[in-house]
Amino acid sequence: MAIDPRDPGDAYLGFWREYHMCTLTTHRPDGTPHVVPVGVTYDPEGGERGLARVITNRHSRKAAHVLAAGPEGARVAVCQVDRGRWATLEGVARVRTEPEAVADAVERYAARYRRVPSPNPDRVVIEIALTRAMGRA
């Protein structure tokens, strides 16, 4: 079911605020999917069409895949499932390194996952400008 990423409705947004591990799908240089477990935060009011954020290490494969796409960004998807409920956010990802962007993403992660991640000087944010949302919450 297609959902407006800027106006997802209370049930869908509520599902993204619950504690669920997610997956991030990026593409390797050969085009094959690379799917890894991550924590994701969803901000329907961020950017033009909403934002999703994933914090990670700047040396991770997921960050490398996004960076390899160049300044246009990489097409990615994040997804979470809980029995019959599911939600997917798709968009264009870019790696952000600015300290304010990283701090904001860490704060959002801590609020959703109820724990502050350990300090990491190599932390970056994969910021996803949303183009599509779908699911059944």
Side-chain angles (χ1 to χ4, degrees):
M1 171 198 287
I3 294 166
D4 180 352
R6 293 284 302 190
D7 186 20
D10 293 340
Y12 192 82
L13 186 55
F15 185 43
W16 276 103
R17 290 189 172 146
E18 295 173 11
Y19 188 114
H20 295 287
M21 292 308 297
C22 305
T23 60
L24 168 68
T25 303
T26 59
H27 294 93
R28 296 181 182 98
D30 68 1
T32 59
H34 177 256
V35 183
V36 293
V38 294
V40 176
T41 61
Y42 172 33
D43 175 12
E45 296 180 10
E48 282 184 35
R49 300 217 38 204
L51 293 172
R53 294 174 179 88
V54 175
I55 57 175
T56 189
N57 189 297
R58 74 176 66 247
H59 305 294
S60 69
R61 293 305 316 149
K62 55 188 160 284
H65 294 158
V66 172
L67 289 168
E72 301 82 32
R75 301 286 308 172
V76 304
V78 291
C79 183
Q80 66 181 21
V81 177
D82 179 37
R83 298 180 185 247
R85 299 185 304 158
W86 62 277
T88 299
L89 300 170
E90 297 178 6
V92 178
R94 291 178 179 81
V95 174
R96 303 273 312 267
T97 60
E98 304 89 346
E100 345 35 89
V102 173
D104 178 56
V106 167
E107 185 176 307
R108 291 170 186 275
Y109 177 96
R112 180 174 188 195
Y113 292 101
R114 298 180 294 279
R115 74 172 195 83
V116 177
S118 301
N120 178 353
D122 289 328
R123 182 169 288 128
V124 296
V125 180
I126 296 175
E127 190 174 86
I128 305 161
L130 301 176
T131 57
R132 179 180 295 160
M134 57 191 138
R136 184 179 328 168

